[in-house]
Amino acid sequence: QMHLVESGGGLVQPGGSLRLSCVASGNIFSLYTMAWYRQGPGLQREFVARITSGGSTNYADSVKGRFTISRDNAKNTVDLQMISLKPADTAVYYCNAVRTVWGTANNYWGQGTQVTVSS
């Protein structure tokens, strides 16, 4: 089973930067597509960024140019570098892993890490 643990959240001022990390268990990490989602207070969980096993990335329009997702398959980690943070970025950020096996997607989630952007 895949187990994900996020870290790196905290309180930052508007315009500041923060780097989130996600560590995954298992020895087939490289086969998974990894992503970051977030959920603000009273809101639904929304997509933030994704990186495939081949290194292809895509981002939500709201974070393009400010956030960068990366992975290190040797360390089983996925990072999210965030710059120029805004109060609207305040949310719990979740790490996600997905892999399709025999036509069925296996989906895993971390416990989340809080990011608060406020002066």
Side-chain angles (χ1 to χ4, degrees):
Q1 297 288 92
M2 181 71 75
H3 183 63
L4 308 174
V5 179
E6 304 97 331
S7 63
L11 175 65
V12 295
Q13 296 185 24
S17 301
L18 207 59
R19 189 179 188 93
L20 306 182
S21 294
C22 172
V23 179
S25 65
N27 58 5
I28 57 172
F29 173 81
S30 62
L31 301 180
Y32 283 79
T33 290
M34 304 299 299
W36 287 94
Y37 289 73
R38 67 187 183 186
Q39 186 170 15
L43 302 175
Q44 294 186 341
R45 189 172 300 185
E46 65 176 354
F47 166 78
V48 176
R50 175 183 296 111
I51 183 167
T52 69
S53 60
S56 180
T57 62
N58 67 292
Y59 300 87
D61 288 341
S62 60
V63 306
K64 285 182 179 177
R66 300 189 299 119
F67 290 12
T68 302
I69 188 171
S70 61
R71 68 191 298 163
D72 187 337
N73 290 338
K75 297 180 178 179
N76 277 22
T77 59
V78 175
D79 289 359
L80 185 68
Q81 178 64 57
M82 307 182 293
I83 65 172
S84 302
L85 285 162
K86 309 173 181 179
D89 295 319
T90 296
V92 177
Y93 284 71
Y94 296 91
C95 182
N96 168 253
V98 62
R99 176 189 174 223
T100 300
V101 181
W102 301 117
T104 301
N106 293 330
N107 234 318
Y108 302 92
W109 296 91
Q111 83 291 338
T113 185
Q114 177 71 49
V115 172
T116 302
V117 185
S118 176
S119 59

